[in-house]
Amino acid sequence: MSVCPAPRQGPAPLPSARGPVSAALLAALRQPPYDLPAGLGAELAAVADPLTDEDLQLTLFLCYELHYRGWRGVDEGWEWQPTLLALRARAERPVEAALRRLAGPLPAVLPGGVPRALAELVAADDGPSLAAALQRRASLAQFREFVAHRSVYHLREADPHSWALPRLDGPAKAALVEIQMDEYGNGRLDRMHAELFRLTMARLGLDPAYGAHVDRAPAVTLATNNIISLFGLHRRLRGALLGHLAAFEMTSSLPNRRYGNGLRRLGLDEVATRFYDEHVQADAVHEQIAAHDLCGGLVAAEPALAADVLFGAAAALAVDRLFAAHLLDSWAAGTSSLRPAAAPVPAVAHAAVVAAPPLSAPAGLPAVA
Ligand SMILES: [Fe+2]
Ligand SMILES: [Fe+2]
């Protein structure tokens, strides 16, 4: 199968500023690396809600992306620039504190009880059902918004959790490799989940280029990504990273069935639904591996990490609840869940992304080039 003859796989285009700190950082990133002003971002310690603060979340996202595909036109030397790392730490502290507040008190469990405790956390999750809405009643415009939000993650799917690999050994490492191999298509480009997602985007008339929708993604969407980078880039949070992955996998199979059914209801074809259909089966397996072999294996080797595993899972569920509520509340109010932008939702910008032409946009949707 010819998937992407001319995919744009990064670096990502720089987004616009959302406040004084992200504006200062963006201005700096356009220059060769230099020492940022001492104390830049000190005010981030006092933001009311770190997980939905646009300036804070974009600042963090700008810092973290330097460790993934990077930013177009930005000197790669910024990745380890000490004063940028200091700014990043200033942004991370209130986010981690907010996550620990949001996760709330967690049950004390013995290492052997971690898989069951994870299952109980997932079962107790009473967030709004975004998947049910997308299956039954979302319009095509709303589905496209959902895909644009999720593209921030899915176009680099599995990468943030791969930070755990060099930090593990033994059974937990083997389990993570087993999961990640599927995520990366077992080494076949056309089966990589990120590539399957590109097909879905192209079928929906959305630009599938890496980072194309970051500028329209609100803070809560960036937060769903930033927390994985936070857990992934700090070895001390490896337990939380694996707990986050377990929660991801344990809440994936049924929602993905619903997403696929929603696209079929809207008249989309098998190419568009392939990404979601793939996850129905794959994640039914992954959730078992993640809870038992991955998280169970980690805490068997490092019992002190049991609490952090549950924290990571609870944080994942809590931030996903915020994300779902944002989309559903926006749609209930008759507004877009994406940030307003001068430009419409970026459409396919290069020809022949897939063999078939992209879906043309119905009236009222952002124009598709
Ligand atoms: Fe996947
Ligand atoms: Fe998975």
Side-chain angles (χ1 to χ4, degrees):
M1 180 177 70
S2 171
V3 177
C4 266
R8 285 187 287 143
Q9 295 164 332
L14 277 174
S16 343
R18 301 186 188 179
V21 184
S22 56
L25 178 56
L26 279 161
L29 290 174
R30 292 189 171 94
Q31 310 294 323
Y34 64 91
D35 285 345
L36 298 171
L40 175 63
E43 64 265 49
L44 298 178
V47 300
D49 183 357
L51 296 172
T52 59
D53 188 277
E54 297 289 347
D55 200 28
L56 190 164
Q57 288 297 329
L58 181 62
T59 297
L60 206 44
F61 195 89
L62 287 166
C63 294
Y64 285 149
E65 184 54 44
L66 296 167
H67 299 292
Y68 293 97
R69 314 289 191 275
W71 297 108
R72 200 174 301 160
V74 170
D75 190 310
E76 294 179 346
W78 276 110
E79 182 181 5
W80 298 105
Q81 212 286 340
T83 59
L84 182 139
L85 296 179
L87 168 62
R88 195 185 92 184
R90 267 174 239 127
E92 285 173 328
R93 279 191 285 272
V95 170
E96 184 177 345
L99 289 174
R100 292 194 184 275
R101 280 196 302 274
L102 199 59
L106 293 162
V109 291
L110 295 172
V114 162
R116 175 187 286 252
L118 286 169
E120 288 171 357
L121 269 181
V122 169
D125 185 38
D126 58 354
S129 181
L130 180 60
L134 287 161
Q135 177 183 5
R136 297 191 190 121
R137 62 178 185 272
S139 67
L140 183 56
Q142 290 167 341
F143 214 111
R144 293 176 81 232
E145 284 187 19
F146 168 69
V147 169
H149 283 282
R150 287 299 201 208
S151 72
V152 180
Y153 173 74
H154 288 312
L155 291 177
R156 67 179 181 205
E157 182 163 322
D159 294 344
H161 294 108
S162 294
W163 295 120
L165 282 169
R167 292 160 184 178
L168 300 177
D169 208 334
K173 189 184 194 97
L176 182 56
V177 169
E178 186 174 1
I179 293 172
Q180 299 302 78
M181 280 173 62
D182 281 346
E183 306 296 345
Y184 293 123
N186 290 287
R188 283 194 49 181
L189 178 65
D190 63 345
R191 293 188 181 174
M192 277 175 56
H193 290 181
E195 294 300 324
L196 296 181
F197 197 74
R198 279 203 162 90
L199 291 178
T200 300
M201 296 184 77
R203 272 297 204 260
L204 286 166
L206 296 167
D207 187 345
Y210 185 84
H213 303 275
V214 168
D215 201 34
R216 306 269 330 252
V220 70
T221 304
L222 299 184
T224 63
N225 288 273
N226 284 338
I227 69 167
I228 327 177
S229 300
L230 168 67
F231 296 159
L233 289 166
H234 292 271
R235 184 178 172 278
R236 70 181 170 85
L237 293 171
R238 63 197 178 283
L241 182 63
L242 298 199
H244 183 284
L245 178 57
F248 245 35
E249 300 290 354
M250 296 168 83
T251 55
S252 174
S253 187
L254 177 59
N256 276 291
R257 184 188 302 279
R258 288 176 158 170
Y259 302 145
N261 287 342
L263 284 177
R264 280 183 278 275
R265 172 180 60 79
L266 291 164
L268 276 293
D269 67 4
E270 184 274 336
V271 175
T273 65
R274 192 175 299 161
F275 172 86
Y276 299 115
D277 297 340
E278 167 75 17
H279 282 84
V280 175
Q281 295 299 325
D283 287 348
V285 177
H286 289 173
E287 71 172 85
Q288 298 299 322
I289 301 171
H292 294 274
D293 303 325
L294 180 65
C295 293
L298 177 75
V299 297
E302 299 188 83
L305 297 182
D308 264 1
V309 169
L310 298 188
F311 161 60
L317 296 170
V319 175
D320 211 54
R321 281 198 295 275
L322 294 178
F323 172 78
H326 170 73
L327 268 65
L328 292 171
D329 291 350
S330 300
W331 295 343
T335 59
S336 170
S337 61
L338 293 168
R339 285 170 50 79
V345 174
V348 175
H350 54 274
V353 173
V354 289
L359 191 74
S360 52
L365 283 177
V368 175

